[in-house]
Amino acid sequence: MKKQNTFIVAAAVTAAVIAAFWLLLAAPAYTGNAINMTQGVTSQSVLSYQLHMIILWICVVIGIIVFSAMFYSIVMHRKSKGHEAAQFTHSTKAEIVWTIIPIIILIVMAVPATTALVNMEVAPETEMTIKITGFQWRWKYQYVEDEIEFISSLDTGSNFARRLASGTDPSSVENYLLNVDKPLVLPANTKIKFLITADDVIHSWWVPALGWKRDAIPGFINEAWTEVMEPGTYRGQCAELCGKDHGFMPIVLNVLPKAEYQAWVNQQRQGMAHEQAEIERLWARDELMDLGQEVYAAQCATCHQADGQGLAPAFPALAGSPVANGPVDENIAVILHGREGTAMQAWGRMLSDSDIAAALTYTRNAFGNETGDVVQPQTIARIKNG
Amino acid sequence: MSIESHDIAHDDHHDHKPSGFLDRWLYTTNHKDIGTLYLVFSLLMFFIGGSMAMVIRAELFMPGLQLVEPEFFNQMTTMHALIMVFGAVMPAWVGFANWMIPMMIGAPDMALPRMNNWSFWILPFAFTMLLSTLFMDSGGPAAGWTLYPPLSLQGGQSFAFVVFAVHMMGISSIMGSINVIATILNMRAPGMTLLKMPLFVWTWLITAFLLIAVMPVLAGAVTMLLTDHFFGTSFFNAAGGGDPVMFQHIFWFFGHPEVYIMILPAFGVVSEIIPTFSRKPLFGYTAMVYATASIAFLSFIVWAHHMFTVGMPLTGELFFMYATMLIAVPTGVKVFNWVSTMWQGSMTFETPMLFAIGFVVLFTIGGLSGLMLAMAAADLQYHDTYFVVAHFHYVLVPGSVFALMAGAYYWLPKWTGHMYSEKWGKIHFWVSAISVNILFFPQHYLGLAGMPRRIPDYSTQFADFNMISSIGGFIFGASQLIFVGVIVHCVYKSRQVATGRVWEGAKGLEWTLSSPPPYHSFNTPPVIDSTTIAHVEEAH
């Protein structure tokens, strides 16, 4: 009897633990940590969510029925209670019933599953297009009609705190690992087409509030679309393993009302004109060193490390490196075009000429490197334009 | 030389084990010894792969990086999967096949004993080579066990070792499968018709066909990666006219049947254990055989459900969604049959039965979340999140691994001639069953809340459930030491002698032998008698 009691208690505890977990899942609000899929802010995310909830409840009901029958049997049909074993071996009728009923459930399920998928995937006429390119480990956004483009990387606060044994408590960093230097700004209530691709390895662009993710694959251009119903800030992450900093390439959407969005576009275009002027003027060495230090920390330090010592064997040191101390033209070529077969990327497509010039000036005069070179933005512009 | 002794006619009651250590283990062609080698090897791999999981869970215990660099973290996730899939679960099932199939069908040994020796002995070399990459300059593979290019091609020279190791594992699996098929089809005792075979034998027969069909596909895929990496080909390089998505199609054409390779023998073992401890024949034997075959067939036409986000045409997505949903039907039939087997039985709950019931409950939870993942529109959210991690760990850990443990406890007295400690077996079960849920259940929430898989660090909103999951992981990991303790005690210390039948309700040819069985069993085919075997052909 004692043995049997222990068993029932243990079984009850396990069942209670499992049941508690399932119930938590169904609870709409739980303070602190989200436990369910977001309903999101697009028609697609609502479809995903609704489909998720339907199939979840079907699974819960099936689970309860099957487990109830099983646990009833476990409690009632045990030898210790003196239950004699029946000797039936099969029932064709039962097999047919429990084949047909699941098929019917599946057919019923297939209807909303198909509708949701068709509605999500078939794009309506869109009003604007954004091209998204995944790089190791940042996103590049191009506004096709407005000719705005920029790179979006992990913000410096997270980037500092995330280093091994950094000594910074992640909870002291706002939106730790889910914040970027430049968010993707989009207008609300506008049908937007995304063209998604990658430059190096496969990434996956995912903002849960939009309701889908789409792989960014080198050599392919995938299409997706969205229409965000509510202005706000929405965060997501790369969802496909893309190398060492896969966990550190977040996505932030800043969705603005249409008028504010237009103001932002105008401001960006002015900024681009200003940037052009900046490229054409001659910079002082200190200006370049200051900007260079910022660019280095944001873009280069991930691999070459803050102290320029690199991370053997994949990421070479810049301190004392023959490239950073060698002929400046060769150094510029490496930065602009990258190095085939290594993680060194072609930065010419990603950073502005001023940023590249500043980073070069900085790396050739920091970490003990003493070339004394000052690389001007106009030099980079001239080399880039052939 | 002991070889001669094999040629002498045997008396079943005397062992003729080779005396020297090398003769006994290195040169052995005996199915029982090779089975033991496979099982010991897989247990070792289970702990190596498990210690990598401990590194992963320790790093994920809190937000921020405390223990390892991201690159090493990626090597751990990749190696953990490769070791667990190819080194722990698959060889363990081959170990069970070696030990049990000849004894279950009344054969004296496997059909191809020398090849049997070879298929085991290349495994330690394959895994030594795979593990050695962790100590090389360019490190171990870090692109995930799926080895997706172009990322996998960014690895250094050590990648060649990974590919060669995968080739060797594949050769081992294919040879093991040929052996299983040859044994089952040719060496059954007279009267042991196909539809009288124990379900474990059936599931392994089907598994072996799956292995032969898909291991060469994996070998082809990794060979193309090898030539892309080292010989300048462009199979998967878009810049050279190749197609990186094609790799995913090829990989998952192998990969989806592969997951059934790991679970079908588990279905078989559970279908042996539940009838024994319910003291009642397996319900719906024929339906079980057909369900297994249906699952195997469907496994070939659902692969792209792993790829709903790559940008497939809508019609492709719909096809793979419907095909995937269909898998629920034969899987449901199996679960219903197990429950019906228990129904009106006279159940007792020794450790094998506990693990088998744990299997049915927790595997079903994993199966249901699999049905959720089949919904392509919802999968666009679930894909590559911890929801997927939770799903496949539910079907693999309290699924396959619990079935392995159930089988180990079930046949351990038969193999060793001693009873294991029932008390410690039960403690092992309860600690494992509770901790495995603490480990994997919260991962459903993490995935739904938006945590991607394969990340070494996460946003603070995911902190609580990660900590709970890690605590469950540490308990689950530590509790497996109890398993080792129980086995060591049973083999070397236990004084409680096992009878031939071992379990009151056990039926089948293996239980007609002594415990432990003679080194060479069934040299004379046994007479098949409907009172000794578990499944009697149903009259129609």
Side-chain angles (χ1 to χ4, degrees):
Chain A
M1 271 324 273
K2 192 172 156 274
K3 239 182 200 172
Q4 192 186 325
N5 288 341
T6 326
F7 174 84
I8 291 174
V9 169
V13 168
T14 317
V17 169
I18 295 172
F21 278 133
W22 278 100
L23 284 176
L24 264 181
L25 190 54
Y30 174 79
T31 49
N33 300 51
I35 56 165
N36 202 359
M37 187 188 283
T38 173
Q39 298 202 40
V41 287
T42 65
S43 59
Q44 295 150 306
S45 65
V46 171
L47 285 169
S48 266
Y49 174 80
Q50 287 169 344
L51 185 62
H52 160 70
M53 289 314 285
I54 297 171
I55 189 71
L56 173 64
W57 280 112
I58 289 178
C59 287
V60 169
V61 170
I62 294 173
I64 289 173
I65 294 171
V66 173
F67 296 151
S68 305
M70 194 170 135
F71 281 105
Y72 176 83
S73 175
I74 286 173
V75 173
M76 303 305 289
H77 309 145
R78 46 175 58 220
K79 196 184 173 198
S80 56
K81 282 197 165 176
H83 195 274
E84 294 276 330
Q87 291 300 314
F88 58 84
T89 60
H90 66 286
S91 155
T92 311
K93 207 183 281 171
E95 302 288 351
I96 290 172
V97 168
W98 61 49
T99 305
I100 299 293
I101 291 177
I103 289 177
I104 293 170
I105 296 175
L106 290 177
I107 291 172
V108 171
M109 265 319 296
V111 176
T114 307
T115 325
L117 191 65
V118 171
N119 285 329
M120 286 178 79
E121 297 278 35
V122 179
E125 280 291 305
T126 50
E127 299 155 63
M128 62 179 275
T129 306
I130 306 270
K131 187 180 174 203
I132 301 173
T133 311
F135 291 88
Q136 284 173 316
W137 293 273
R138 44 185 64 77
W139 297 98
K140 178 177 179 175
Y141 299 115
Q142 287 165 286
Y143 294 68
V144 174
E145 291 85 0
D146 289 321
E147 296 182 333
I148 300 169
E149 64 173 66
F150 55 88
I151 303 269
S152 179
S153 312
L154 183 67
D155 72 311
T156 40
S158 299
N159 204 16
F160 183 77
R162 68 146 171 131
R163 277 157 221 287
L164 183 60
S166 67
T168 308
D169 178 7
S171 57
S172 69
V173 180
E174 206 178 342
N175 295 311
Y176 177 61
L177 297 187
L178 290 181
N179 206 5
V180 295
D181 51 358
K182 286 181 204 160
L184 175 64
V185 179
L186 295 177
N189 301 308
T190 308
K191 290 186 176 64
I192 302 164
K193 184 198 278 182
F194 293 108
L195 300 174
I196 304 173
T197 186
D199 185 68
D200 34 44
V201 301
I202 300 174
H203 304 268
S204 189
W205 198 82
W206 182 35
V207 177
L210 300 193
W212 47 265
K213 60 178 71 70
R214 184 68 84 220
D215 290 356
I217 305 168
F220 283 68
I221 295 176
N222 271 329
E223 277 189 33
W225 72 278
T226 196
E227 180 179 4
V228 183
M229 297 181 290
E230 283 171 43
T233 303
Y234 306 106
R235 296 170 197 280
Q237 283 180 267
C238 177
E240 177 69 52
L241 178 62
C242 57
K244 78 178 179 69
D245 284 351
H246 162 56
F248 309 103
M249 50 183 295
I251 296 156
V252 180
L253 289 190
N254 192 5
V255 180
L256 301 175
K258 275 184 182 172
E260 281 178 44
Y261 171 75
Q262 202 49 51
W264 177 84
V265 168
N266 294 338
Q267 190 197 341
Q268 290 299 303
R269 304 197 63 137
Q270 277 166 17
M272 284 160 65
H274 174 69
E275 200 166 282
Q276 192 54 39
E278 287 288 280
I279 289 168
E280 282 158 18
R281 79 177 171 91
L282 277 181
W283 288 50
R285 181 190 147 105
D286 284 352
E287 279 182 292
L288 286 166
M289 287 298 280
D290 288 349
L291 177 63
Q293 192 167 10
E294 276 173 40
V295 174
Y296 184 83
Q299 310 292 351
C300 319
T302 321
C303 297
H304 294 295
Q305 305 300 300
D307 57 2
Q309 293 300 324
L311 207 59
F315 310 114
L318 297 186
S321 121
V323 178
N325 293 288
V328 69
D329 287 352
E330 284 172 28
N331 197 352
I332 292 173
V334 170
I335 306 288
L336 289 182
H337 307 300
R339 265 202 205 281
E340 191 86 24
T342 72
M344 184 62 190
Q345 296 163 10
W347 292 95
R349 286 162 305 172
M350 288 197 279
L351 297 181
S352 74
D353 297 348
S354 324
D355 285 351
I356 293 175
L360 273 159
T361 307
Y362 177 72
T363 52
R364 294 178 70 82
N365 295 289
F367 328 120
N369 297 342
E370 289 175 351
T371 59
D373 292 337
V374 172
V375 183
Q376 288 294 342
Q378 39 180 251
T379 314
I380 303 296
R382 200 182 60 239
I383 293 174
K384 257 169 113 175
N385 302 328
Chain B
M1 291 293 287
S2 56
I3 305 284
E4 289 163 29
S5 66
H6 291 284
D7 303 322
I8 302 168
H10 296 288
D11 176 352
D12 270 359
H13 300 289
H14 288 90
D15 287 356
H16 294 277
K17 297 186 179 80
S19 48
F21 185 82
L22 283 185
D23 283 356
R24 171 77 192 274
W25 298 111
L26 186 61
Y27 307 148
T28 184
T29 54
N30 181 286
H31 74 99
K32 300 182 182 81
D33 282 352
I34 294 174
T36 304
L37 286 170
Y38 265 110
L39 290 170
V40 170
F41 175 79
S42 68
L43 190 62
L44 178 68
M45 287 296 139
F46 181 60
F47 276 91
I48 293 176
S51 56
M52 293 171 178
M54 294 298 106
V55 173
I56 292 167
R57 280 317 323 168
E59 182 53 68
L60 293 173
F61 188 72
M62 287 195 300
L65 292 178
Q66 291 84 23
L67 300 171
V68 296
E69 290 286 355
E71 181 66 16
F72 187 73
F73 182 90
N74 290 346
Q75 293 178 25
M76 286 292 102
T77 52
T78 306
M79 279 293 215
H80 162 73
L82 288 171
I83 297 282
M84 286 303 199
V85 169
F86 295 103
V89 176
M90 289 170 69
W93 286 127
V94 183
F96 275 93
N98 259 292
W99 253 105
M100 301 318 301
I101 288 176
M103 292 187 351
M104 285 176 145
I105 60 172
D109 204 309
M110 297 293 280
L112 307 158
R114 282 165 194 258
M115 193 168 87
N116 204 10
N117 173 295
W118 192 26
S119 50
F120 170 76
W121 275 110
I122 58 178
L123 280 183
F125 294 93
F127 283 90
T128 306
M129 196 154 58
L130 180 64
L131 285 167
S132 72
T133 60
L134 285 173
F135 303 98
M136 293 178 187
D137 274 352
S138 48
W145 82 287
T146 50
L147 299 172
Y148 281 6
L151 183 63
S152 58
L153 301 176
Q154 285 186 343
Q157 306 294 314
S158 67
F159 187 67
F161 288 77
V162 177
V163 170
F164 193 38
V166 171
H167 280 153
M168 284 167 72
M169 295 165 204
I171 291 168
S172 164
S173 291
I174 291 169
M175 288 195 299
S177 304
I178 290 171
N179 218 339
V180 165
I181 294 171
T183 306
I184 296 173
L185 295 187
N186 295 300
M187 298 191 54
R188 279 169 288 128
M192 175 60 80
T193 57
L194 285 174
L195 282 175
K196 283 183 185 164
M197 295 196 309
L199 213 70
F200 178 69
V201 180
W202 257 114
T203 54
W204 239 115
L205 180 65
I206 292 166
T207 303
F209 277 104
L210 286 183
L211 273 166
I212 289 182
V214 301
M215 290 311 287
V217 177
L218 175 67
V222 296
T223 306
M224 287 186 270
L225 286 180
L226 184 80
T227 62
D228 269 12
H229 192 311
F230 295 100
F231 304 113
T233 57
S234 295
F235 290 108
F236 308 126
N237 174 10
D243 180 349
V245 176
M246 181 55 78
F247 176 86
Q248 299 184 18
H249 283 290
I250 300 170
F251 181 87
W252 287 113
F253 187 79
F254 146 79
H256 202 79
E258 168 68 24
V259 303
Y260 293 108
I261 286 164
M262 292 190 279
I263 201 69
L264 294 185
F267 292 164
V269 164
V270 168
S271 304
E272 302 301 326
I273 292 172
I274 290 179
T276 295
F277 295 98
S278 304
R279 291 166 183 75
K280 194 165 155 281
L282 180 70
F283 187 85
Y285 170 86
T286 320
M288 289 296 238
V289 172
Y290 285 122
T292 311
S294 311
I295 292 172
F297 168 74
L298 287 172
S299 76
F300 285 106
I301 56 166
V302 296
W303 76 89
H305 68 215
H306 298 268
M307 305 165 53
F308 281 140
T309 62
V310 299
M312 257 187 293
L314 180 63
T315 42
E317 292 185 329
L318 288 172
F319 170 79
F320 285 107
M321 175 171 78
Y322 299 146
T324 305
M325 289 164 75
L326 270 183
I327 295 178
V329 177
T331 313
V333 167
K334 287 188 148 309
V335 174
F336 301 140
N337 278 321
W338 288 323
V339 174
S340 306
T341 305
M342 291 186 216
W343 193 259
Q344 297 290 347
S346 175
M347 276 187 270
T348 52
F349 301 93
E350 290 85 346
T351 311
M353 183 62 161
L354 291 179
F355 272 103
I357 292 172
F359 168 93
V360 175
V361 174
L362 299 174
F363 172 81
T364 302
I365 292 178
L368 290 172
S369 63
L371 186 58
M372 295 172 70
L373 284 158
M375 304 291 134
D379 184 69
L380 297 182
Q381 292 277 42
Y382 303 140
H383 180 82
D384 263 336
T385 67
Y386 260 81
F387 190 81
V388 179
V389 176
H391 157 72
F392 69 73
H393 279 100
Y394 260 86
V395 291
L396 279 174
V397 182
S400 290
V401 173
F402 269 28
L404 282 165
M405 287 168 177
Y409 282 108
Y410 186 52
W411 285 308
L412 205 52
K414 169 57 62 188
W415 296 336
T416 63
H418 304 290
M419 294 306 286
Y420 60 85
S421 161
E422 195 61 59
K423 177 185 158 199
W424 283 99
K426 282 182 175 159
I427 292 173
H428 174 220
F429 169 75
W430 286 110
V431 178
S432 295
I434 293 170
S435 62
V436 86
N437 282 293
I438 300 173
L439 166 56
F440 293 121
F441 212 94
Q443 296 183 0
H444 290 114
Y445 307 144
L446 289 171
L448 293 176
M451 179 168 163
R453 59 192 286 210
R454 293 167 165 170
I455 56 174
D457 192 7
Y458 47 81
S459 177
T460 46
Q461 60 178 309
F462 305 125
D464 295 356
F465 286 120
N466 268 299
M467 192 176 282
I468 294 171
S469 176
S470 286
I471 291 169
F474 300 144
I475 301 173
F476 183 75
S479 65
Q480 301 321 308
L481 296 171
I482 303 174
F483 185 47
V484 178
V486 172
I487 294 171
V488 170
H489 170 264
C490 177
V491 174
Y492 296 107
K493 295 271 186 220
S494 173
R495 299 231 171 81
Q496 205 189 339
V497 175
T499 60
R501 179 147 312 270
V502 182
W503 312 108
E504 186 188 29
K507 280 192 166 185
L509 289 177
E510 77 265 36
W511 308 108
T512 63
L513 297 166
S514 60
S515 295
Y519 196 57
H520 300 283
S521 43
F522 294 132
N523 282 350
T524 327
V527 175
I528 306 298
D529 156 2
S530 62
T531 58
T532 54
I533 63 172
H535 311 294
V536 185
E537 221 168 327
E538 292 164 17
H540 288 285

